[in-house]
Amino acid sequence: EDQVTQSPEALRLQEGESSSLNCSYTVSGLRGLFWYRQDPGKGPEFLFTLYSAGEEKEKERLKATLTKKESFLHITAPKPEDSATYLCAVRAGYSSASKIIFGSGTRLSIRP
Amino acid sequence: EAQVTQNPRYLITVTGKKLTVTCSQNMNHEYMSWYRQDPGLGLRQIYYSMNVEVTDKGDVPEGYKVSRKEKRNFPLILESPSPNQTSLYFCASRHTGYNEQFFGPGTRLTVL
């Protein structure tokens, strides 16, 4: 069964304290792994797509990496405005209608 | 401004009273989708549409209906809502062949 698991569920960091969020997946026919940011009361906002093991993408203080079994979202020297829930999702299957499976998210809180 | 809009944003109703949540996008996207988000369960797909007049079930379609008569609109219909449909609902859209999904702001539904 296709599955996406994120850990930890919640993470509290001090401003400037770097860390990583984990997304492990079990899917057949991976067509892409995605990271989204979701602020309270808002819809998810797209951050990155990764397609193959070894690929990396960066945006400001965020860097996403991908292996054959998991992805990491590294946050370097975070600021309070990085506080949000980060969602991981995978697209499985090879048809144009292949479904996207979301993890339950990691709630990140950055203290000033 | 490119966006996905949903209405209403908040809705409290009673069991069995039919309701419709509207979704509209102005990006000429072919693909549209509805998700529900529940604590600990992540985003789960209800229905999706590859294009006008083409709809299909997602992972949790029971108790919901959709229609796609125009490319820009994808309403979600609850014919006889029940308390277990209390949730946060998101509409999303994307171009076919692209992975980035754009999400609406969400509709918080409470069924008493």
Side-chain angles (χ1 to χ4, degrees):
Chain A
E1 181 185 350
D2 296 335
Q3 193 168 302
V4 178
T5 303
Q6 291 188 248
S7 61
E9 286 188 20
L11 181 62
R12 296 186 71 186
L13 300 173
Q14 200 69 33
E15 183 173 2
E17 180 185 0
S18 301
S19 188
S20 298
L21 314 182
N22 178 264
C23 171
S24 63
Y25 62 91
T26 307
V27 295
S28 53
L30 179 72
R31 292 194 66 189
L33 183 141
F34 318 107
W35 284 97
Y36 285 83
R37 170 189 171 127
Q38 185 175 21
D39 292 299
K42 295 189 176 181
E45 178 185 346
F46 175 82
L47 291 173
F48 305 110
T49 303
L50 301 166
Y51 292 101
S52 56
E55 190 175 359
E56 299 182 352
K57 293 273 179 74
E58 284 190 66
K59 182 178 181 180
E60 296 180 357
R61 294 175 292 282
L62 300 176
K63 183 166 109 174
T65 62
L66 180 65
T67 72
K68 288 187 177 180
K69 293 184 177 180
E70 58 191 349
S71 176
F72 293 93
L73 184 65
H74 307 279
I75 302 177
T76 302
K79 298 181 178 181
E81 53 262 41
D82 294 321
S83 297
T85 296
Y86 291 86
L87 304 174
C88 171
V90 298
R91 187 174 176 187
Y94 292 100
S95 77
S96 58
S98 56
K99 63 180 180 180
I100 295 178
I101 305 160
F102 280 84
S104 54
T106 293
R107 192 170 60 255
L108 178 64
S109 176
I110 309 298
R111 299 190 299 270
Chain B
E1 179 189 355
Q3 60 183 349
V4 179
T5 56
Q6 295 179 227
N7 282 292
R9 296 289 314 279
Y10 303 90
L11 179 59
I12 300 174
T13 189
V14 295
T15 299
K17 186 176 181 181
K18 181 179 178 180
L19 65 92
T20 298
V21 183
T22 65
C23 172
S24 183
Q25 50 92 8
N26 62 2
M27 296 168 279
N28 202 35
H29 287 166
E30 299 83 15
Y31 182 98
M32 297 186 75
S33 181
W34 276 103
Y35 294 87
R36 60 178 290 174
Q37 187 175 39
D38 302 289
L41 295 177
L43 284 158
R44 293 179 293 167
Q45 191 177 53
I46 303 170
Y47 268 94
Y48 65 92
S49 169
M50 295 292 292
N51 214 323
V52 176
E53 302 291 1
V54 180
T55 63
D56 210 344
K57 297 177 181 179
D59 295 318
V60 288
E62 293 78 20
Y64 304 94
K65 285 176 58 177
V66 292
S67 68
R68 186 92 182 273
K69 292 182 169 53
E70 302 168 283
K71 196 172 186 179
R72 64 183 294 128
N73 296 323
F74 191 44
L76 180 69
I77 303 155
L78 284 73
E79 294 268 3
S80 182
S82 62
N84 63 12
Q85 293 178 298
T86 293
S87 187
L88 180 58
Y89 291 86
F90 289 101
C91 180
S93 71
R94 63 175 171 86
H95 279 303
T96 304
Y98 288 80
N99 283 313
E100 181 180 355
Q101 283 200 102
F102 294 82
F103 282 82
T107 295
R108 186 166 292 282
L109 172 66
T110 301
V111 183
L112 302 174

